Amino acid sequence: MKVRHTGIHKLSDNLVSLIAAGEVIERPVSVVKELMENSLDAGARHIEIKLENGGLTTIVVRDDGHGIPSAEVPLLLERHTTSKIDSEDDLDEIVTLGFRGEALYSIGAVSDVILSTKFADEPGGTRLTLRDGEKSVETIPWPGGTQVESIRLFHSTPARRKFLRSGSAEYGRVGSLVSSYALAYPHVAWRLMHDGRETLRTPGSGSREDALIAVYGADVARKMLEVDFRSGAVNIEGAISSIELTRARRTDQIIFLNGRLIKDPGISAALERPYMQFLAPGRHPIAILLISCDPREVDVNVHPHKKEVRLSEPRAVTGSVYRAVENTLRKNHPLEIQKVLESEPSAGKVEIDEITGEVKPLEPSRKDERDWAIREPKHHHTPDWPPQPDERQQRSVDSDQLQHQYPAFDDLNIPHDLPPAGHTIQFANTYLIYNQGRAIYIIDQHNLHERILYEEFISREENADASSQALLFPVQVILPPALAALVDENMDILRSMGFEIEEFSEGSGKRAYALRAVPQALKDSDPSSALTDILEKASQDEKLDEPGGFRRAFTINLSCKSAIKAGQSLTEEEIAFLIGHIMDGTYVTCPHGRPTMIKLDEDWFRRSFKRSK
Ligand code: ADP
Ligand code: MG
């Protein structure tokens, strides 16, 4: 990025009125974002971020950028002072991440600030301190670069503070933000510390792969495909996951446009479209896409956090994203793509909406629409599909891969109305069987219930409204160190799922916890052993150390533990409850990847009885 420092000055009233101003600082992560963007704007190659208590106590961001001239330091912390834009024309062509001159002012309004800096060629450094609204400036020895400390965030606005979740939840947001930037700016060496522990460090080598390894680990990095695409003025770089690496949520899709982290549903849709034929329902690719286009095509000045942007040519960008992803998949998965194209001549052809830039399948007739709905290729059972797993994978079958071996929901053609009440039979206290239309459907009661619970827990975490069951007496749970560490680290996740748990010291060095409530679904189990079991299983999960890994692993095992078991006799109501859920396309497999339902159609009966027609 071009570094430009034209001297910090106050913007004219006219220019101020053109800026989409807003409350910038909502939570610790907003402080971190503004400060590290300033560091990037200053051309830093090393950025270190330290948080105490999720940033609620202190946030420190230190860089080795060009620093701030001592004469300009007193101007900082005033509203609308910036060195980055000067005139209205500059607004059309913003090349820096900041431009409103509001961040330091806003941070100063909600916390104490200590800023230490030294401008490139000046002999000494300067420190600006803002404490309880009192500002002071002094000369200090300082090696170079800038450090900003934000202390006691929101101490004067307790109402704001109440909205925040615990320190570790706030830290979680910061962790994923810094990871995204570390992937987008691999030539910067990033270091993130939380409560004295280093949680992320990238080498700053400029290699995206090194950054991917630092953020996701070597296993994931190995399965990422490099994207490098140019079309007209649009350039796209980055990495996307190969079709065997998927996630249950879209949180690992990171999109930068001209160096700015954005959310844009049109771009996300264009990114996922080429995967659709390959991914099971509810699965999403991982992606880091760095899109650059002419800054004049992008209006960054529409959202107070600059998270949303307006494109003057959305079509050019979404179309390029679609093609970049498609080309990359085609290059890396030639066999699978070829097969889909052969069986489905219209597959892969898309049309890009002139106005919205939305990528859509070509001429979506009703039939096409169904074909383009999430669906898997028809070749699953030929010997080369799924691609032969290597030895390592064979030993531990990955649930993502398992999902590929079963037909997708659409292939089952499940009628959208329920079978008549009382027509379902339970067989072997494990399977539910019913006839509807011209097929027999067989459900595995445990697999299906496990999936229903899994979806419920996931959506509850998102809405943070766990329904839990208070225990009559708190139950003591003693955990081995490894499981205790998991609990400490993920206390918030556990609480969001309905576990009310806190540590109580026994004094003997053992880690004891008091469990006061459990999720509703676990109310009939022995709470202490259920929790220990689930933690134990989750701790074995291969992907535990990936971002979001614990949440996923814990939720899967919690669902498994709480679900109706095989061999359990069910009431009419329980059967109706289960059947009522299969209409949703996400329930084709349990979270481990085993099928929830199979369908026997007339053809199957004909073949089984060796009838000719
Ligand atoms: P903006 O980034 O929108 O200009 P800020 O309030 O974030 O506004 O920063 C105000 C000014 O302070 C910037 O324009 C820049 O000149 C200077 N500045 C802030 N942080 C740094 C930093 N880490 N290194 C160098 N200059 C900085
Ligand atoms: Mg800024």
Side-chain angles (χ1 to χ4, degrees):
M1 177 172 306
K2 194 171 86 188
V3 173
R4 111 176 204 176
H5 192 93
T6 56
I8 300 175
H9 51 271
K10 206 159 165 68
L11 296 174
S12 71
D13 289 349
N14 178 43
L15 193 45
V16 165
S17 66
L18 293 174
I19 295 174
E23 287 286 300
V24 193
I25 308 303
E26 278 173 340
R27 47 190 352 132
V29 70
S30 351
V31 175
V32 173
K33 179 160 187 284
E34 294 296 336
L35 295 181
M36 69 192 203
E37 288 191 347
N38 280 346
S39 299
L40 289 168
D41 281 346
R45 302 303 293 258
H46 288 85
I47 300 179
E48 182 171 312
I49 298 146
K50 283 192 200 161
L51 305 187
E52 296 293 331
N53 183 24
L56 296 166
T57 314
T58 15
I59 299 171
V60 184
V61 176
R62 166 135 203 200
D63 67 53
D64 60 352
H66 59 53
I68 306 169
S70 59
E72 295 175 12
V73 169
L75 281 178
L76 292 168
L77 301 181
E78 277 186 34
R79 191 155 206 186
H80 302 308
T81 46
T82 181
S83 59
K84 297 171 193 172
I85 59 171
D86 209 359
S87 70
E88 210 177 310
D89 292 343
D90 293 345
L91 269 186
D92 295 336
E93 214 173 322
I94 289 169
V95 292
T96 50
L97 295 168
F99 57 90
R100 296 197 179 109
E102 274 201 317
L104 287 178
Y105 161 81
S106 310
I107 296 169
V110 291
S111 71
D112 292 343
V113 172
I114 304 174
L115 179 147
S116 316
T117 187
K118 183 176 99 65
F119 190 57
D121 335 312
E122 291 183 351
T126 316
R127 169 167 294 163
L128 170 74
T129 308
L130 178 81
R131 200 182 154 75
D132 292 326
E134 292 293 312
K135 205 160 88 172
S136 64
V137 180
E138 62 197 307
T139 308
I140 52 156
W142 191 254
T146 304
Q147 171 174 297
V148 182
E149 294 165 69
S150 159
I151 304 156
R152 299 193 299 152
L153 186 60
F154 302 136
H155 69 276
S156 56
T157 46
R160 186 91 66 103
R161 207 183 163 105
K162 256 205 342 242
F163 276 109
L164 302 180
R165 296 174 55 205
S166 67
S168 50
E170 294 306 323
Y171 165 73
R173 294 170 193 266
V174 173
S176 44
L177 179 80
V178 177
S179 303
S180 302
Y181 274 74
L183 292 169
Y185 293 90
H187 60 277
V188 174
W190 297 84
R191 184 160 185 247
L192 175 61
M193 310 267 300
H194 187 215
D195 292 338
R197 254 188 5 163
E198 181 176 275
T199 54
L200 177 74
R201 181 204 275 274
T202 68
S205 62
S207 133
R208 180 113 39 229
E209 184 163 8
D210 286 349
L212 282 167
I213 292 172
V215 171
Y216 290 120
D219 277 355
V220 169
R222 209 179 309 122
K223 292 184 191 149
M224 296 293 286
L225 314 172
E226 192 191 339
V227 177
D228 190 0
F229 179 87
R230 166 170 282 285
S231 157
V234 183
N235 190 56
I236 303 176
E237 279 172 42
I240 56 174
S241 55
S242 61
I243 56 180
E244 63 264 28
L245 176 64
T246 63
R247 294 277 206 247
R249 299 208 266 165
R250 291 201 177 84
T251 37
D252 287 315
Q253 296 179 359
I254 303 161
I255 299 166
F256 278 80
L257 182 67
N258 289 351
R260 207 178 283 285
L261 182 62
I262 61 156
K263 293 233 171 296
D264 183 287
I267 295 179
S268 304
L271 153 68
E272 292 213 343
R273 179 73 69 183
Y275 281 92
M276 278 194 170
Q277 298 121 303
F278 305 107
L279 300 194
R283 305 299 301 180
H284 306 280
I286 302 177
I288 160 91
L289 291 183
L290 302 150
I291 308 170
S292 51
C293 65
D294 186 335
R296 280 169 302 199
E297 302 284 320
V298 188
D299 186 358
V300 295
N301 193 16
V302 293
H303 188 273
H305 301 153
K306 296 167 280 184
K307 254 186 251 162
E308 280 160 26
V309 295
R310 192 183 297 128
L311 291 164
S312 60
E313 276 288 342
R315 197 167 93 97
V317 173
T318 49
S320 299
V321 167
Y322 174 83
R323 288 203 303 282
V325 172
E326 224 253 295
N327 284 355
T328 309
L329 289 180
R330 194 185 288 274
K331 209 159 58 192
N332 290 278
H333 298 293
L335 260 160
E336 293 85 339
I337 303 245
Q338 192 51 37
K339 280 184 177 162
V340 172
L341 290 179
E342 273 167 15
S343 68
E344 206 63 68
S346 71
K349 299 212 180 87
V350 296
E351 154 181 86
I352 298 164
D353 188 283
E354 293 279 341
I355 298 149
T356 61
E358 197 193 333
V359 179
K360 296 185 295 200
L362 193 63
E363 291 161 13
S365 67
R366 257 201 78 71
K367 179 187 168 293
D368 278 354
E369 212 137 39
R370 207 190 65 76
D371 283 349
W372 271 95
I374 299 168
R375 183 178 57 82
E376 303 208 343
K378 299 191 170 90
H379 315 285
H380 282 181
H381 307 291
T382 61
D384 51 358
W385 185 275
Q388 284 308 304
D390 63 37
E391 258 191 316
R392 211 195 98 266
Q393 289 168 324
Q394 245 153 9
R395 264 183 278 124
S396 66
V397 182
D398 178 80
S399 68
D400 292 345
Q401 289 195 347
L402 259 175
Q403 294 217 351
H404 281 291
Q405 295 169 8
Y406 299 107
F409 188 79
D410 270 15
D411 290 348
L412 291 176
N413 265 323
I414 296 170
H416 283 268
D417 38 16
L418 290 166
H423 282 219
T424 304
I425 61 163
Q426 190 189 20
F427 169 65
N429 280 347
T430 302
Y431 307 104
L432 307 179
I433 304 174
Y434 69 88
N435 157 231
Q436 192 175 22
R438 302 175 82 89
I440 301 284
Y441 297 89
I442 307 173
I443 291 169
D444 182 302
Q445 65 190 38
H446 172 74
N447 289 2
L448 176 61
H449 193 219
E450 193 178 329
R451 182 59 188 251
I452 294 170
L453 290 171
Y454 178 76
E455 297 294 336
E456 231 177 79
F457 285 123
I458 290 279
S459 74
R460 245 187 240 160
E461 288 158 42
E462 281 164 355
N463 311 324
D465 65 352
S467 77
S468 60
Q469 170 79 43
L471 302 172
L472 219 42
F473 303 102
V475 171
Q476 177 179 290
V477 189
I478 301 206
L479 294 173
L483 300 188
L486 270 184
V487 168
D488 295 345
E489 256 169 64
N490 300 291
M491 203 55 122
D492 281 288
I493 298 179
L494 294 175
R495 291 200 175 122
S496 75
M497 288 195 240
F499 287 95
E500 212 177 284
I501 181 170
E502 66 198 39
E503 191 181 355
F504 73 92
S505 134
E506 255 210 327
S508 63
K510 270 194 188 149
R511 302 298 305 278
Y513 295 83
L515 189 55
R516 298 181 195 284
V518 294
Q520 199 71 41
L522 272 184
K523 66 180 194 314
D524 298 328
S525 328
D526 165 19
S528 165
S529 70
L531 178 62
T532 314
D533 265 22
I534 298 167
L535 285 168
E536 184 79 76
K537 292 220 176 80
S539 71
Q540 312 281 316
D541 194 283
E542 271 183 42
K543 298 180 181 169
L544 190 65
D545 293 323
E546 292 174 23
F550 174 82
R551 189 183 285 273
R552 185 186 138 276
F554 190 87
T555 311
I556 289 178
N557 290 294
L558 169 62
S559 316
C560 184
K561 190 86 195 170
S562 337
I564 293 168
K565 304 279 172 300
Q568 191 174 328
S569 150
L570 300 184
T571 64
E572 258 338 306
E573 286 87 333
E574 287 167 328
I575 292 176
F577 167 82
L578 288 176
I579 304 260
H581 273 82
I582 54 174
M583 302 305 141
D584 185 317
T586 50
Y587 295 136
V588 123
T589 63
C590 81
H592 297 99
R594 294 187 304 257
T596 52
M597 158 180 263
I598 53 178
K599 171 187 176 184
L600 307 179
D601 57 12
E602 269 190 305
D603 220 37
W604 182 88
F605 285 95
R606 236 183 263 126
R607 274 183 280 117
S608 308
F609 292 108
K610 311 224 179 301
R611 301 179 77 94
S612 52
K613 65 183 249 268

